[in-house]
Every structure is written in C-alpha cells, then in structure tokens.
Amino acid sequence: MMLLLVLIFIVLFILGAPIAVSLGMTSLINIELFETVSLSAFTKTASNGFNSYLLVACPLFTFAGDIMAKGGISKRLVNVAKLGFGNITGGLGIVTIIACIIFAAISGTGSATVSAIGMLMIPEMVKAHYDRSYSTCMVAIGGAIGTMIPPSVCMVVYATTAGVSLTSMFTAGIPAGIIFGCALIGYCYFSSKRKGYTPETKVKLSAKETLHVWIDAIPAILVPVIILGSIYGGICTPTESAALGCLVGVIVSVFVYKEVSLKILPYLAMHAMTISAPVMFIIGMSSGFGSILSIEQVPAKVAAAILAITENKIILLLIINVIYLFMGTFMETNAAIILTVPILLPIVTAVGVSPVHFGIVTIVNLAIGFVTPPLGANLFMASAIGGVPLNKLAKDIWPWIGVAVVALLLITYIPQLVLFLPKIMGYTI
C-alpha cells in the first residue's frame, strides 16, 4: 500500500497537480480503497492542521514584508551599509549582501528581499561597472538569507510541522544567516578583487551628512529591533510580534517616510492572504495525509530502512543534505518541509541531532534551492529585476551556490555555530 500511495502522489505531481491537491487526492483514494481512516476523521485532522494560532504569523509577516519593501526602508538600510563598506574593493557587492541580511530581519521571505534590494542595488552596481549577471546572481542568492534570518515564514512552517519552539528556531536562525552572509561576502570580496571591481572615486561624507544618514535610518533600524526584541524580551509571542511588525511597518512606511499610500494597504493585505492561503491548504492536506501514513507506520518503516543502511550521523546528514538540495531544485520550500520533516526528523533525532539544528539545516538547504535551476524562484525574480536572461543566470549562479554549500556544511557539521545562541538565552533545543 505504501508504494501505491507514493506512486499515486508522484503521478499527480508529474501531471502538474498542486501539492495540496496531490496530497488530498492520494488520501481520498486511499480512504476509498483501503478504508485506513474514515472520511470524517480525515477531514477533522486536515482542518486541525491549519487551525493553528502559530500559522497566523504567516500572512502577518508576509504583509509586513510587503509594506516595508515598498516603504523606503530598504533604501535607508543600504545608505547605512554604504558608510562602512562603500569605498572598499567589492564595496557595493558587500553593501548589497549586508542589506539583504538586515532586510531579511524585516521581510521574512526571500522574494521580498530580492525585490527590495535588487531594485536598488543592481542598477547601482551596473553603473559602477559590475557585470550585470554577476550583480543579479548576488542579489538572487542574497535574497535566500530572507528564509534564515528571523522572522521567517519557513521557520513558522517548520516549527508547526516539527512541534518545536518557534522562538528557539528564530534564535538559531540569526547566526545561521550571518554565517551564510559572511560566506557570500568573502566570495564577493575576492571575486571582486579578481574582476577589478574597485570604487572609481572615494565617496567621503562630512560629519553632518553621515549623521543625517544615521538619523534618517533610525526608524528603519528600529523595525527589526522592535519585532525581534518583543519576542526575545518575552513581551510578545511570535504571532503577536508579527501583528506588531505590521503596525510598525504601516507607521514607518506611511507616516514617517511617506512612501506608501493608505490606499495600497487593502491590496497588500489581499496579496499576503493570497500567498499564505496555499501554504495553509498544504498544511491541512499534509496533516490528513500524515495521519494515514502514521496509521500505516510509514515514517517508522522509512526510518528503520535508512538506519539499517547506516547509523553514522555524518553520513546520514550528508544523505539528507543531498536529498534536500535535490528537492529544492523542483519543489516549493514550504511544501518540501511539510512533506519530509515528519519522516526525516525521527531519523536524525535517533542519532542525536537536535530538532532545532535539523530545522536550520533543512531551511538552509531549501534556501539554496531558491537559486538552484530549474525552479530557482529567486532566479526568476532577479532575472526580471536585473534584465538578465534566465539561462544566463542559471550558468553564472554556480560559483555562488558552491560558496553557499560550504556555509551549509559548516552549519550542518558544527551545530554549536547555530545552537550557542538559543543555549545562552535558555531556550529549548
């Protein structure tokens, strides 16, 4: 029966059915043929799957990211980053990556980061004689940090699926995103030196101009401080902080910087719901599908089969990394998390891997999938923003992917790099 379930799902997926529809149809066919569970029990389990308070954070973080991307916040963050790095070799590239890291702490998604930073920095880099494809690839992979640095919609989905603390995930995501970003900065510096991307003229600001840049950026800088500080300070739950982020985003973008009109807010709210609804549908269907798998003990059987091959933690993590890197090339990130975590999490915990560490490894893997052909959602968006053909980006992105994989391996095999912060703050790992 397990093989039949897998076969039905694969056939539906290949035929182009959405993930949620494939899961639902596979479940219904199983119920009709084998009566594993009753239809009413399946429906109840599915509805309970997306009836989660934690999942309310998904549309809220999406809305907050949208309004901040359009509200002039990214422009102020870029100006601050230029103060420290604008005049060195590869300075504009380094500024771009740092801006991606900072904006990731606001947006919660990779697409918003690519859009907000790409529209600002790609034209500037091209004007400074950076290769257009090189610049566009940099923005595409820099946007992947949006799924690692909290608040992250992917982390909300993982925490819900795995039953772990979202605050612990957020805390571990900070060093993971910084490690990933530092690896990109290192490659940017040395490749820029080789390509000769040095500032033609040094930009020197007076003390008054520098002070103005900092003062202008204070509201933008306060946004992630308020959102994350409210969580780590115990003032708000992650879901409440998402609502707070929406409020702060509206105040800063509409009333402080005045770059967004109140008239656009209903459209942004509808956009956030439109993006989040498929995620909720997938979670509901996967919960019902998961109940069938649990009754048939599929996760336990898969875990036993893999552990029969090897119980070596290093090899298991390597196998899982390869699986996720492959899945990231063709499957949407949240769907991949929902489908695989219930099966793979028991395997890694059996060999002593922390669920929080595994969550970070999973998210970093799938974040690399954002720029890995043929799916590469960030590549599609960056291609549109940078005006570079997708096939050109698909060839030029590979050195950046190589650097990202190095960062992934560091995070995978030295868990203390990401777990030290939640440990220090006393969170469960």
Side-chain angles (χ1 to χ4, degrees):
M1 192 192 77
M2 182 173 71
L3 290 176
L4 180 61
L5 279 174
V6 173
L7 182 62
I8 293 171
F9 176 80
I10 290 174
V11 168
L12 290 170
F13 183 75
I14 291 174
L15 290 175
I19 294 291
V21 173
S22 300
L23 289 170
M25 288 298 297
T26 303
S27 301
L28 291 176
I29 291 171
N30 175 270
I31 291 170
E32 181 66 28
L33 294 179
F34 303 106
E35 299 182 353
T36 307
V37 296
S38 66
L39 183 59
S40 60
F42 171 80
T43 305
K44 184 177 181 180
T45 304
S47 63
N48 288 339
F50 49 71
N51 187 23
S52 169
Y53 174 69
L54 193 59
L55 289 175
V56 177
C58 288
L60 291 176
F61 279 135
T62 303
F63 175 82
D66 273 352
I67 192 167
M68 293 175 200
K70 294 175 172 60
I73 290 175
S74 54
K75 180 167 61 180
R76 273 77 180 185
L77 297 176
V78 166
N79 289 339
V80 169
K82 282 182 180 178
L83 292 177
F85 300 94
N87 290 328
I88 65 175
T89 298
L92 280 180
I94 294 172
V95 166
T96 299
I97 296 166
I98 291 174
C100 286
I101 294 172
I102 300 173
F103 193 79
I106 298 173
S107 67
T109 62
S111 56
T113 305
V114 171
S115 175
I117 304 302
M119 292 180 72
L120 277 174
M121 294 307 301
I122 292 175
E124 281 210 41
M125 285 191 282
V126 171
K127 191 188 298 182
H129 307 297
Y130 283 65
D131 178 75
R132 183 177 288 272
S133 179
Y134 175 89
S135 306
T136 306
C137 286
M138 183 191 306
V139 170
I141 198 159
I145 301 173
T147 63
M148 304 173 208
I149 298 278
S152 163
V153 172
C154 290
M155 286 186 184
V156 175
V157 174
Y158 176 85
T160 304
T161 305
V164 302
S165 164
L166 180 56
T167 304
S168 297
M169 288 296 301
F170 277 2
T171 311
I174 294 173
I178 292 173
I179 290 167
F180 194 92
C182 287
L184 299 182
I185 288 171
Y187 176 73
C188 174
Y189 175 78
F190 289 108
S191 61
S192 295
K193 201 168 186 179
R194 189 177 69 250
K195 294 173 182 287
Y197 296 152
T198 55
E200 291 185 355
T201 56
K202 298 288 185 180
V203 179
K204 294 184 179 180
L205 299 180
S206 66
K208 183 178 179 180
E209 290 171 326
T210 301
L211 182 63
H212 174 74
V213 170
W214 277 106
I215 292 174
D216 190 41
I218 286 174
I221 294 171
L222 284 177
V223 171
V225 172
I226 291 171
I227 294 173
L228 298 179
S230 65
I231 298 174
Y232 301 134
I235 300 170
C236 299
T237 65
T239 302
E240 291 166 347
S241 77
L244 179 62
C246 293
L247 177 62
V248 173
V250 170
I251 292 172
V252 172
S253 301
V254 176
F255 299 107
V256 178
Y257 292 143
K258 299 179 180 179
E259 296 196 16
V260 170
S261 167
L262 284 171
K263 294 179 181 178
I264 201 176
L265 296 186
Y267 165 77
L268 294 179
M270 181 62 71
H271 180 252
M273 289 186 288
T274 302
I275 288 181
S276 302
V279 176
M280 304 292 191
F281 191 23
I282 292 170
I283 289 174
M285 290 299 99
S286 68
S287 297
F289 185 68
S291 67
I292 295 174
L293 294 181
S294 296
I295 290 172
E296 296 298 325
Q297 297 184 324
V298 172
K301 292 175 182 176
V302 172
I306 293 177
L307 291 173
I309 299 172
T310 178
E311 293 186 14
N312 185 295
K313 184 194 298 187
I314 294 174
I315 296 175
L316 279 175
L317 288 172
L318 181 61
I319 292 171
I320 289 171
N321 278 338
V322 172
I323 290 172
Y324 273 133
L325 288 173
F326 174 70
M327 288 186 68
T329 64
F330 65 88
M331 185 172 286
E332 193 272 332
T333 304
N334 292 315
I337 291 172
I338 294 163
L339 285 175
T340 60
V341 167
I343 295 173
L344 296 178
L345 184 58
I347 299 173
V348 295
T349 53
V351 296
V353 176
S354 156
V356 172
H357 177 227
F358 178 65
I360 297 298
V361 170
T362 298
I363 288 169
V364 173
N365 265 295
L366 295 173
I368 296 173
F370 277 120
V371 294
T372 308
L375 181 61
N378 281 12
L379 284 184
F380 281 94
M381 180 166 286
S383 172
I385 293 171
V388 181
L390 188 62
N391 59 350
K392 171 69 172 168
L393 292 183
K395 294 176 182 177
D396 294 345
I397 194 66
W398 289 104
W400 293 101
I401 291 176
V403 173
V405 170
V406 171
L408 167 65
L409 293 175
L410 287 173
I411 292 168
T412 300
Y413 292 114
I414 312 177
Q416 294 81 6
L417 291 175
V418 296
L419 294 182
F420 80 93
L421 193 55
K423 279 184 181 178
I424 290 173
M425 299 183 73
Y427 298 130
T428 303
I429 59 170

PDB file of all heavy atoms in Angstrom, residues 11 52 89 96 102 130 155 201 204 264 302 308 318 332 343 393 397 422:
ATOM      1  N   VAL A  11       2.517  10.490  -9.618  1.00  0.00           N
ATOM      2  CA  VAL A  11       1.811  10.645 -10.899  1.00  0.00           C
ATOM      3  C   VAL A  11       1.051  11.967 -10.928  1.00  0.00           C
ATOM      4  O   VAL A  11       1.114  12.723 -11.911  1.00  0.00           O
ATOM      5  CB  VAL A  11       0.847   9.464 -11.129  1.00  0.00           C
ATOM      6  CG1 VAL A  11      -0.089   9.766 -12.309  1.00  0.00           C
ATOM      7  CG2 VAL A  11       1.631   8.190 -11.396  1.00  0.00           C
ATOM      8  N   SER A  52      -4.168  26.548  13.448  1.00  0.00           N
ATOM      9  CA  SER A  52      -3.076  26.751  14.405  1.00  0.00           C
ATOM     10  C   SER A  52      -2.841  28.239  14.613  1.00  0.00           C
ATOM     11  O   SER A  52      -2.696  28.995  13.648  1.00  0.00           O
ATOM     12  CB  SER A  52      -1.787  26.087  13.899  1.00  0.00           C
ATOM     13  OG  SER A  52      -0.678  26.493  14.674  1.00  0.00           O
ATOM     14  N   THR A  89      37.198  47.417  -1.934  1.00  0.00           N
ATOM     15  CA  THR A  89      37.076  46.504  -3.073  1.00  0.00           C
ATOM     16  C   THR A  89      35.790  45.679  -2.951  1.00  0.00           C
ATOM     17  O   THR A  89      35.532  45.072  -1.918  1.00  0.00           O
ATOM     18  CB  THR A  89      38.283  45.554  -3.124  1.00  0.00           C
ATOM     19  OG1 THR A  89      39.465  46.325  -3.309  1.00  0.00           O
ATOM     20  CG2 THR A  89      38.140  44.553  -4.257  1.00  0.00           C
ATOM     21  N   THR A  96      25.397  45.224  -0.754  1.00  0.00           N
ATOM     22  CA  THR A  96      24.199  44.501  -1.199  1.00  0.00           C
ATOM     23  C   THR A  96      23.897  43.313  -0.291  1.00  0.00           C
ATOM     24  O   THR A  96      22.750  43.112   0.130  1.00  0.00           O
ATOM     25  CB  THR A  96      24.383  44.011  -2.649  1.00  0.00           C
ATOM     26  OG1 THR A  96      24.586  45.144  -3.506  1.00  0.00           O
ATOM     27  CG2 THR A  96      23.179  43.215  -3.127  1.00  0.00           C
ATOM     28  N   ILE A 102      20.177  42.493   6.662  1.00  0.00           N
ATOM     29  CA  ILE A 102      19.388  43.373   7.528  1.00  0.00           C
ATOM     30  C   ILE A 102      17.923  43.359   7.113  1.00  0.00           C
ATOM     31  O   ILE A 102      17.017  43.262   7.955  1.00  0.00           O
ATOM     32  CB  ILE A 102      19.942  44.810   7.493  1.00  0.00           C
ATOM     33  CG1 ILE A 102      21.395  44.843   7.979  1.00  0.00           C
ATOM     34  CG2 ILE A 102      19.091  45.730   8.368  1.00  0.00           C
ATOM     35  CD1 ILE A 102      22.074  46.188   7.823  1.00  0.00           C
ATOM     36  N   TYR A 130      30.064  46.888 -12.552  1.00  0.00           N
ATOM     37  CA  TYR A 130      29.931  45.471 -12.206  1.00  0.00           C
ATOM     38  C   TYR A 130      29.218  44.776 -13.353  1.00  0.00           C
ATOM     39  O   TYR A 130      28.333  45.362 -13.991  1.00  0.00           O
ATOM     40  CB  TYR A 130      29.097  45.298 -10.931  1.00  0.00           C
ATOM     41  CG  TYR A 130      29.794  45.604  -9.626  1.00  0.00           C
ATOM     42  CD1 TYR A 130      30.233  46.879  -9.323  1.00  0.00           C
ATOM     43  CD2 TYR A 130      29.993  44.600  -8.684  1.00  0.00           C
ATOM     44  CE1 TYR A 130      30.857  47.175  -8.121  1.00  0.00           C
ATOM     45  CE2 TYR A 130      30.620  44.870  -7.466  1.00  0.00           C
ATOM     46  CZ  TYR A 130      31.048  46.159  -7.197  1.00  0.00           C
ATOM     47  OH  TYR A 130      31.660  46.430  -5.993  1.00  0.00           O
ATOM     48  N   MET A 155      10.388  29.189   8.846  1.00  0.00           N
ATOM     49  CA  MET A 155      10.580  28.722  10.220  1.00  0.00           C
ATOM     50  C   MET A 155       9.248  28.505  10.929  1.00  0.00           C
ATOM     51  O   MET A 155       9.114  27.584  11.746  1.00  0.00           O
ATOM     52  CB  MET A 155      11.430  29.723  11.000  1.00  0.00           C
ATOM     53  CG  MET A 155      12.900  29.706  10.624  1.00  0.00           C
ATOM     54  SD  MET A 155      13.872  30.777  11.691  1.00  0.00           S
ATOM     55  CE  MET A 155      15.498  30.620  10.913  1.00  0.00           C
ATOM     56  N   THR A 201      35.910  56.374  -7.600  1.00  0.00           N
ATOM     57  CA  THR A 201      36.149  57.562  -6.779  1.00  0.00           C
ATOM     58  C   THR A 201      35.699  57.270  -5.358  1.00  0.00           C
ATOM     59  O   THR A 201      34.669  56.624  -5.146  1.00  0.00           O
ATOM     60  CB  THR A 201      35.364  58.773  -7.311  1.00  0.00           C
ATOM     61  OG1 THR A 201      33.972  58.435  -7.375  1.00  0.00           O
ATOM     62  CG2 THR A 201      35.849  59.184  -8.695  1.00  0.00           C
ATOM     63  N   LYS A 204      33.325  60.499   0.192  1.00  0.00           N
ATOM     64  CA  LYS A 204      33.565  60.958   1.555  1.00  0.00           C
ATOM     65  C   LYS A 204      32.435  61.883   1.980  1.00  0.00           C
ATOM     66  O   LYS A 204      32.159  62.888   1.324  1.00  0.00           O
ATOM     67  CB  LYS A 204      34.914  61.678   1.648  1.00  0.00           C
ATOM     68  CG  LYS A 204      36.116  60.767   1.414  1.00  0.00           C
ATOM     69  CD  LYS A 204      37.422  61.505   1.615  1.00  0.00           C
ATOM     70  CE  LYS A 204      38.617  60.580   1.404  1.00  0.00           C
ATOM     71  NZ  LYS A 204      39.913  61.281   1.606  1.00  0.00           N
ATOM     72  N   ILE A 264      -3.082  51.674  -0.690  1.00  0.00           N
ATOM     73  CA  ILE A 264      -2.499  50.417  -1.164  1.00  0.00           C
ATOM     74  C   ILE A 264      -2.575  49.307  -0.111  1.00  0.00           C
ATOM     75  O   ILE A 264      -2.356  48.131  -0.419  1.00  0.00           O
ATOM     76  CB  ILE A 264      -1.025  50.638  -1.591  1.00  0.00           C
ATOM     77  CG1 ILE A 264      -0.558  49.532  -2.548  1.00  0.00           C
ATOM     78  CG2 ILE A 264      -0.108  50.696  -0.385  1.00  0.00           C
ATOM     79  CD1 ILE A 264       0.839  49.744  -3.078  1.00  0.00           C
ATOM     80  N   VAL A 302      10.280   3.844   7.051  1.00  0.00           N
ATOM     81  CA  VAL A 302      11.313   4.546   6.287  1.00  0.00           C
ATOM     82  C   VAL A 302      12.531   4.794   7.167  1.00  0.00           C
ATOM     83  O   VAL A 302      13.677   4.600   6.742  1.00  0.00           O
ATOM     84  CB  VAL A 302      10.768   5.890   5.735  1.00  0.00           C
ATOM     85  CG1 VAL A 302      11.890   6.699   5.119  1.00  0.00           C
ATOM     86  CG2 VAL A 302       9.679   5.628   4.706  1.00  0.00           C
ATOM     87  N   ALA A 308      18.994   1.164   8.850  1.00  0.00           N
ATOM     88  CA  ALA A 308      19.582  -0.148   8.576  1.00  0.00           C
ATOM     89  C   ALA A 308      20.785  -0.025   7.648  1.00  0.00           C
ATOM     90  O   ALA A 308      21.701  -0.850   7.670  1.00  0.00           O
ATOM     91  CB  ALA A 308      18.536  -1.077   7.964  1.00  0.00           C
ATOM     92  N   LEU A 318      24.716  13.940   5.542  1.00  0.00           N
ATOM     93  CA  LEU A 318      25.146  14.162   4.155  1.00  0.00           C
ATOM     94  C   LEU A 318      24.064  13.694   3.182  1.00  0.00           C
ATOM     95  O   LEU A 318      23.731  14.394   2.210  1.00  0.00           O
ATOM     96  CB  LEU A 318      26.456  13.425   3.884  1.00  0.00           C
ATOM     97  CG  LEU A 318      27.040  13.590   2.471  1.00  0.00           C
ATOM     98  CD1 LEU A 318      27.361  15.061   2.200  1.00  0.00           C
ATOM     99  CD2 LEU A 318      28.288  12.722   2.309  1.00  0.00           C
ATOM    100  N   GLU A 332       8.523  23.605  -4.085  1.00  0.00           N
ATOM    101  CA  GLU A 332       8.363  24.801  -3.257  1.00  0.00           C
ATOM    102  C   GLU A 332       8.796  24.500  -1.824  1.00  0.00           C
ATOM    103  O   GLU A 332       8.557  23.421  -1.294  1.00  0.00           O
ATOM    104  CB  GLU A 332       6.893  25.248  -3.308  1.00  0.00           C
ATOM    105  CG  GLU A 332       6.643  26.632  -2.767  1.00  0.00           C
ATOM    106  CD  GLU A 332       6.381  26.640  -1.277  1.00  0.00           C
ATOM    107  OE1 GLU A 332       5.873  25.626  -0.763  1.00  0.00           O
ATOM    108  OE2 GLU A 332       6.704  27.646  -0.631  1.00  0.00           O
ATOM    109  N   ILE A 343       8.943  12.569   8.291  1.00  0.00           N
ATOM    110  CA  ILE A 343       9.652  11.318   8.002  1.00  0.00           C
ATOM    111  C   ILE A 343      11.109  11.383   8.450  1.00  0.00           C
ATOM    112  O   ILE A 343      11.629  10.444   9.060  1.00  0.00           O
ATOM    113  CB  ILE A 343       9.575  10.998   6.494  1.00  0.00           C
ATOM    114  CG1 ILE A 343       8.111  10.728   6.092  1.00  0.00           C
ATOM    115  CG2 ILE A 343      10.443   9.800   6.138  1.00  0.00           C
ATOM    116  CD1 ILE A 343       7.894  10.561   4.610  1.00  0.00           C
ATOM    117  N   LEU A 393      21.687  33.492 -16.094  1.00  0.00           N
ATOM    118  CA  LEU A 393      21.810  33.405 -14.634  1.00  0.00           C
ATOM    119  C   LEU A 393      22.030  31.960 -14.190  1.00  0.00           C
ATOM    120  O   LEU A 393      22.793  31.703 -13.251  1.00  0.00           O
ATOM    121  CB  LEU A 393      20.551  33.958 -13.958  1.00  0.00           C
ATOM    122  CG  LEU A 393      20.286  35.459 -14.064  1.00  0.00           C
ATOM    123  CD1 LEU A 393      19.038  35.823 -13.264  1.00  0.00           C
ATOM    124  CD2 LEU A 393      21.484  36.251 -13.572  1.00  0.00           C
ATOM    125  N   ILE A 397      25.292  31.342 -11.741  1.00  0.00           N
ATOM    126  CA  ILE A 397      24.979  31.249 -10.322  1.00  0.00           C
ATOM    127  C   ILE A 397      25.797  30.180  -9.600  1.00  0.00           C
ATOM    128  O   ILE A 397      25.929  30.194  -8.370  1.00  0.00           O
ATOM    129  CB  ILE A 397      23.464  30.966 -10.124  1.00  0.00           C
ATOM    130  CG1 ILE A 397      23.034  31.205  -8.667  1.00  0.00           C
ATOM    131  CG2 ILE A 397      23.122  29.528 -10.528  1.00  0.00           C
ATOM    132  CD1 ILE A 397      23.109  32.617  -8.216  1.00  0.00           C
ATOM    133  N   PRO A 422      20.637  30.105  21.169  1.00  0.00           N
ATOM    134  CA  PRO A 422      19.474  29.660  21.973  1.00  0.00           C
ATOM    135  C   PRO A 422      19.874  29.046  23.304  1.00  0.00           C
ATOM    136  O   PRO A 422      19.144  29.169  24.281  1.00  0.00           O
ATOM    137  CB  PRO A 422      18.785  28.624  21.059  1.00  0.00           C
ATOM    138  CG  PRO A 422      19.729  28.313  19.976  1.00  0.00           C
ATOM    139  CD  PRO A 422      20.623  29.493  19.830  1.00  0.00           C
TER     140      PRO A 422
END
